[in-house]
Amino acid sequence: MPLTGIEIFKLLPKTNCGRCGEPTCLAFAMKLAAAKAELAACPDISDEVRAKLEEAAAPPIKLVTIGAGNRAFKIGGETVMFRHEKRFENPPGFALLIRDSMDESEISARLERFNQLEYKRVELTLRPELVAVKDESGDRARFEATVSKVKENTDASIILMSPSPDILAAGLKVCAERKPLLYAATRDNLEPVASLARQNSCPVVAKASTLDELARLTTQLTDSGVNDIILDSGARSLRQALEDQILIRSTALSKRFRPLGFPTIVFPGEMTDDPMKEAVIASIFVAKYSGIIVLSDFQGESLFPLLVERMNIYTDPQRPLAITEGIYPVGNPDENSPVLITTNFSLTYFIVSAEIETSKVPSHLLVKDTQGLSVLTAWAGGRFVADTIAPFVKKCGISEMVKHHKLIIPGYTAIESGSLEEELPGWQIMVGPREGAHIPAYLKTWQP
Amino acid sequence: MNLEIPKTAYNGRIKEIRLGKGDKAVTVGGETCYPFYLFEGKMPNLPRIAMEVWDTSPEDWPEAALEPFQGVTGDPVAWARKCVTDFGAEMICLQLVSTDPNGLDRGADEAAAVVKNVAEAITVPLIVWGTANHDKDTEVLRKVAEVNEGRNLILGPVEEGDYKKIGAAAIGYQHTVIASTPIDINLAKQLNILLGNLGVRDELLIIDPTVSSIGYGIEYCYSVMERVRTAALTQQDNKLQYPLICNVAKEVWKTKEAKPPADGALTLGDTRKRGILLEAMSAMVLLLGGGDVLIMRHPEAIRLVQEMITELAAPKNN
Ligand code: B12
Ligand code: SF4
């Protein structure tokens, strides 16, 4: 548990020497408790106390960095079971599986897909992070060659998968600077795999077949100096795998049970042979707590929905996704095209621009900064009312872009139309439909 | 350190409700734990899927969604029969799309007759979904209730703006009410209280939290559903202890992502499979949020979700 200011104070030297920049030890303790100071600022703290404070301050689920470079990312660091309690912090990584027994051409095709499958959604780029290279040949040279191919052809973070420490070492040799994730340390190979992880400062997966055994394994790993650990509970039935994901998280959060305080990895492709089913299983683990999801293949039809789902579930409920204020052309609008205004909540923008696209009537869409709030929410909060809309319309430059001066506002803000006409002299305010779905029908009747 | 498994402190239970009549009636609800947290409690009735039937030929369904129903989409009775006999539907949801005042604006009598024909053609429970236009739904759903007296249809959406008249008709003619509010736990609770005061019995009410698909705000629905379940199961909030229904298919298939990409982008993969997966995954997220009844469209998406339900509840072999 995080310590309170008073609890921290009890551990400090209590000399009030002031070298930390605070007048008293108590003041420093309070700042520490609020995470507004660094422990290192006090020169007189004993190692023992330091260890104690660091242990208490450590997050219940370790934040682990996977990979290095372009596609490096962090997982773990989660603090809640339900996103409405606060938010989910670090979205799971998606890994593409490559078996070293595959044909050259198949491997190339997969790597090409890895590189190509990325999507723009509003202002975000959605793409996968990892390639998992699995030793099936039992042949060091073959594994090594496959790993180099992955390294040379992609900027992916890499997972090296083999039961054999020797083969893992061979793969590591080729891609050590990518800080690959080693899969996996088990009861049978713990020491050699742990030492590879230590020597190369790589994260490592601990794999067991029960949670008890998993906890023992991670304790051995941390005792041996390996701290960046990912958990594979070994479950390959859907029911058991879900249960394990939930229990690992709840044990770490509510019992502060350190041995399970790490992110997890799951393998939907080992739970079914049907790619469609695999994708739906993966969607369960996006919502329910996985850190890395390894897929037996990447195809646009399944990767795209998964990436969007991930973005949705990991959106901060208190800080909706927002887009930049401005004028957005939809289609190729000209000086006679309609002008519509909406808020900068990315979902609102997304729906409205899609509906305008559907209408096939090229339009200018004005997007007003409402700090990411939807139309009604922003209106209720006073951020999307005549007083704030009018100045934006004046300064955004739309007046010079169109000959007509007609502004279509969302139906839900009909009540603002009178004041808007007063505050925007020369503009005619038109009340559009309430529902986005009715925009196409409405726009089809547009006359400049 | 010894591994000690934490337990959620449940103190509530979702009410069990029986949908439809006779042998094929379906019971939902009764959960004593979060969805599929079977290590902590029970789900005596697993979630069920209703297959969607429209009362008029759909104009804007993508090819992939239409294909399984070729030849019957102009005839709701044949369509419903096909769902039951060919696809094993456990329930049907008749969407009264044609009554939309912004569309065909078909009248109440005609709509009620169609509902009756469909109800007579099948023995599985029948959900009837209006257009969320208060005036029109009041007219149509009251008539539907009357003409189908005693069948225990499941009628909705019943909203704050029209609950009195539709609720009264449901009580009078013995149907179940779908209490519908826009993604807000407080509004949901409030409407349930109002319906209770009106006289709707607990076993005749199901909550529609309003849902959307992946990419269109599903996270709000997911979180509201989770909050409803938390309140119901751990805070003894008995006005939220009802099963949840999710009218998800129509939200999925109207999105542009479920259709062929306008720019022909290859990165989106196979259009048919993508539509099916968007539907199945959206449904899956809603199941994890607490959905008890899902209204779905594509038989393949339904199969996928049914297999998930079965596997998530499968007996453990270790
Ligand atoms: C999620 C939510 C929130 C989130 C914010 C999410 C966000 N990014 O906005 C949070 C929790 C922060 C929030 C806060 C508040 N909310 Co709020 N919130 C909602 C909720 C549940 C959903 C809103 C949403 O995301 N809608 C989806 C988007 C896409 O809809 P939209 O922007 O309106 O766009 C649609 C249309 O307007 C149209 N459209 C959009 N642009 C345009 C443009 C043109 C030209 C046209 C023609 C059409 C068009 O197309 C879109 C698709 O149909 C609604 C209830 C509901 N279900 O509507 C309440 C709701 C909007 N909130 C409400 C209120 C009162 C508030 C608060 C003031 C207090 C409160 N109750 O919490 C605060 C204010 C926040 C602030 N600080 O200022 C009320 C507003 C009541 C009213 N009529 O004034 C609502 C309706 C709930 C209710 N019934 O009480 N809220
Ligand atoms: S530097 Fe350390 S001992 Fe000195 S006042 Fe600050 S906390 Fe106290």
Side-chain angles (χ1 to χ4, degrees):
Chain A
M1 295 301 143
L3 299 180
T4 64
I6 299 295
E7 284 164 337
I8 297 174
F9 172 66
K10 288 183 183 151
L11 300 172
L12 293 178
K14 304 198 195 70
T15 54
N16 299 335
C17 74
R19 277 176 293 167
C20 56
E22 297 299 325
T24 62
C25 295
L26 182 60
F28 183 64
M30 291 298 170
K31 288 234 158 146
L32 274 182
K36 288 197 172 115
E38 293 289 332
L39 196 53
C42 170
D44 288 344
I45 287 179
S46 68
D47 286 348
E48 191 192 334
V49 168
R50 186 185 322 277
K52 215 166 179 174
L53 288 173
E54 273 167 2
E55 160 74 12
I61 296 174
K62 188 160 201 287
L63 188 63
V64 179
T65 300
I66 303 292
N70 239 347
R71 299 218 189 193
F73 66 105
K74 289 185 164 59
I75 49 175
E78 300 298 334
T79 59
V80 293
M81 298 299 293
F82 298 105
R83 61 189 288 285
H84 62 79
E85 296 173 88
K86 185 158 182 249
R87 63 172 171 262
F88 290 169
E89 302 285 343
N90 293 294
F94 287 111
L96 167 63
L97 186 71
I98 288 189
R99 292 179 266 121
D100 69 353
S101 56
M102 283 171 174
D103 287 352
E104 285 288 309
S105 61
E106 173 64 19
I107 294 178
S108 304
R110 284 175 176 241
L111 295 180
E112 201 168 313
R113 282 203 290 283
F114 179 88
N115 289 327
Q116 279 170 356
L117 293 180
E118 69 170 48
Y119 308 91
K120 269 252 168 268
R121 192 140 176 120
V122 195
E123 288 173 3
L124 297 174
T125 300
L126 310 181
R127 58 180 205 175
E129 292 75 14
L130 298 139
V131 172
V133 188
K134 185 173 185 179
D135 149 41
E136 266 189 357
S137 63
D139 174 345
R140 290 176 57 148
R142 181 145 191 166
F143 187 67
E144 211 179 296
T146 313
V147 175
S148 344
K149 189 159 177 177
V150 171
K151 188 184 115 182
E152 276 155 31
N153 291 291
T154 70
D155 58 358
S157 293
I158 296 173
I159 308 177
L160 299 176
M161 299 177 69
S162 173
S164 146
D166 282 348
I167 293 187
L168 285 179
L172 237 174
K173 208 172 68 201
V174 213
C175 69
E177 74 280 13
R178 293 257 178 115
K179 300 278 172 228
L181 172 62
L182 305 180
Y183 184 95
T186 62
R187 209 166 42 190
D188 303 328
N189 67 10
L190 186 91
E191 203 17 67
V193 173
S195 91
L196 283 177
R198 273 194 308 271
Q199 282 157 21
N200 297 279
S201 352
C202 290
V204 62
V205 176
K207 181 183 181 193
S209 52
T210 65
L211 294 186
D212 272 305
E213 191 193 326
L214 192 58
R216 258 179 308 210
L217 213 53
T218 62
T219 309
Q220 284 171 304
L221 279 170
T222 46
D223 287 349
S224 82
V226 176
N227 292 301
D228 287 335
I229 302 170
I230 309 295
L231 306 176
D232 179 355
S233 75
R236 295 297 184 268
S237 81
L238 185 51
R239 175 170 173 175
Q240 187 64 49
L242 177 66
E243 177 177 326
D244 288 351
Q245 297 301 305
I246 297 165
L247 290 181
I248 286 171
R249 176 161 309 180
S250 67
T251 312
L253 291 184
S254 74
K255 301 278 179 192
R256 283 252 162 184
F257 184 65
R258 292 273 179 223
L260 293 184
F262 299 97
T264 62
I265 186 168
V266 292
F267 295 87
E270 294 183 17
M271 302 178 197
T272 176
D273 293 330
D274 171 357
M276 298 287 275
K277 209 164 142 182
E278 180 183 351
V280 185
I281 294 176
S283 77
I284 297 177
F285 293 118
V286 169
K288 288 289 176 185
Y289 312 146
S290 300
I292 294 175
I293 301 173
V294 182
L295 297 172
S296 64
D297 195 5
F298 279 177
Q299 293 291 346
E301 66 256 16
S302 48
L303 188 65
F304 170 75
L306 285 170
L307 288 168
V308 178
E309 180 203 357
R310 175 175 82 171
M311 175 187 81
N312 288 165
I313 295 288
Y314 278 80
T315 299
D316 183 346
Q318 272 121 46
R319 264 204 359 199
L321 290 178
I323 61 164
T324 318
E325 179 172 281
I327 305 176
Y328 289 75
V330 185
N332 271 319
D334 61 22
E335 55 191 21
N336 292 316
S337 304
V339 179
L340 301 93
I341 186 160
T342 190
T343 73
N344 80 328
F345 177 28
S346 67
L347 180 60
T348 301
Y349 163 79
F350 201 71
I351 295 175
V352 172
S353 60
E355 295 294 355
I356 299 176
E357 237 171 74
T358 306
S359 79
K360 302 212 161 59
V361 179
S363 304
H364 304 279
L365 181 57
L366 307 187
V367 173
K368 160 92 185 79
D369 182 0
T370 54
Q371 302 192 340
L373 293 181
S374 75
V375 168
L376 264 183
T377 318
W379 177 80
R383 295 181 211 276
F384 195 66
V385 292
D387 282 350
T388 60
I389 295 174
F392 165 65
V393 174
K394 281 182 194 154
K395 71 157 203 271
C396 72
I398 188 69
S399 290
E400 293 80 56
M401 295 167 70
V402 288
K403 280 206 249 165
H404 67 84
H405 278 169
K406 292 181 183 167
L407 176 65
I408 305 171
I409 62 171
Y412 282 118
T413 55
I415 198 164
E416 296 297 313
S417 67
S419 349
L420 263 176
E421 291 210 327
E422 275 170 33
E423 295 190 32
L424 284 174
W427 280 85
Q428 183 188 340
I429 306 301
M430 306 178 67
V431 178
R434 294 179 152 212
E435 291 303 319
H438 299 144
I439 291 177
Y442 178 84
L443 281 184
K444 285 192 179 123
T445 65
W446 161 259
Q447 300 281 341
Chain B
M1 271 208 230
N2 274 329
L3 175 58
E4 209 188 310
I5 302 289
K7 280 244 176 228
T8 309
Y10 298 112
N11 54 23
R13 174 172 187 268
I14 307 303
K15 299 175 211 294
E16 264 184 353
I17 69 171
R18 203 171 140 82
L19 307 171
K21 280 236 146 154
D23 291 355
K24 295 285 172 65
V26 159
T27 303
V28 294
E31 298 93 330
T32 59
C33 59
Y34 290 130
F36 304 104
Y37 281 41
L38 293 168
F39 48 94
E40 289 187 333
K42 290 198 167 60
M43 294 178 84
N45 308 293
L46 292 176
R48 300 291 191 125
I49 297 172
M51 279 186 90
E52 202 183 28
V53 169
W54 281 26
D55 70 342
T56 178
S57 272
E59 308 251 293
D60 55 354
W61 285 21
E63 185 49 41
L66 274 178
E67 189 264 334
F69 308 106
Q70 229 147 47
V72 295
T73 50
D75 177 354
V77 169
W79 188 345
R81 277 211 185 101
K82 184 178 177 80
C83 287
V84 176
T85 49
D86 292 8
F87 302 122
E90 296 175 316
M91 277 191 270
I92 296 293
C93 173
L94 183 62
Q95 311 264 15
L96 296 180
V97 181
S98 75
T99 63
D100 188 348
N102 296 313
L104 291 178
D105 200 17
R106 212 170 267 165
D109 290 334
E110 208 180 325
V114 172
V115 174
K116 185 157 190 263
N117 291 340
V118 172
E120 279 168 358
I122 58 174
T123 53
V124 299
L126 179 60
I127 302 166
V128 179
W129 208 286
T131 59
N133 177 301
H134 296 165
D135 293 339
K136 192 63 188 280
D137 278 355
T138 302
E139 226 179 286
V140 170
L141 294 180
R142 284 173 72 193
K143 194 76 196 171
V144 167
E146 183 190 330
V147 172
N148 292 281
E149 173 163 15
R151 282 191 203 276
N152 191 12
L153 302 179
I154 303 95
L155 297 177
V158 177
E159 302 184 73
E160 198 173 341
D162 56 21
Y163 81 96
K164 280 192 184 149
K165 289 182 175 167
I166 304 178
I171 297 169
Y173 300 110
Q174 302 137 55
H175 303 293
T176 298
V177 165
I178 301 169
S180 179
T181 46
I183 335 180
D184 186 313
I185 184 171
N186 297 315
L187 294 178
K189 182 170 173 174
Q190 175 66 16
L191 182 58
N192 294 347
I193 293 173
L194 292 173
L195 284 164
N197 293 345
L198 189 71
V200 173
R201 296 205 316 273
D202 276 349
E203 63 275 20
L204 292 176
L205 194 156
I206 185 163
I207 302 178
D208 162 29
T210 307
V211 300
S212 53
S213 77
I214 285 178
Y216 290 83
I218 200 168
E219 66 273 27
Y220 288 103
C221 318
Y222 182 62
S223 286
V224 165
M225 290 169 73
E226 287 198 323
R227 288 178 62 196
V228 167
R229 274 297 139 96
T230 303
L233 293 172
T234 70
Q235 293 153 18
Q236 289 179 307
D237 195 333
N238 70 342
K239 280 297 162 193
L240 290 170
Q241 289 167 343
Y242 299 93
L244 292 159
I245 185 168
C246 304
N247 194 358
V248 61
K250 70 179 180 119
E251 301 298 327
V252 173
W253 290 98
K254 76 177 186 196
T255 67
K256 66 172 185 218
E257 291 77 8
K259 297 175 181 156
D263 57 0
L266 294 176
T267 52
L268 287 170
D270 182 271
T271 296
R272 176 179 168 275
K273 289 184 186 164
R274 187 178 59 254
I276 291 169
L277 285 176
L278 280 165
E279 181 177 7
M281 288 183 191
S282 297
M284 199 57 238
V285 170
L286 299 173
L287 275 181
L288 293 173
D292 291 281
V293 177
L294 299 169
I295 298 168
M296 296 185 63
R297 184 174 297 174
H298 201 288
E300 185 68 14
I302 294 172
R303 179 190 65 82
L304 287 166
V305 174
Q306 247 152 6
E307 285 182 20
M308 292 300 119
I309 296 172
T310 308
E311 289 186 26
L312 285 167
K316 288 216 230 174
N317 46 13
N318 51 354

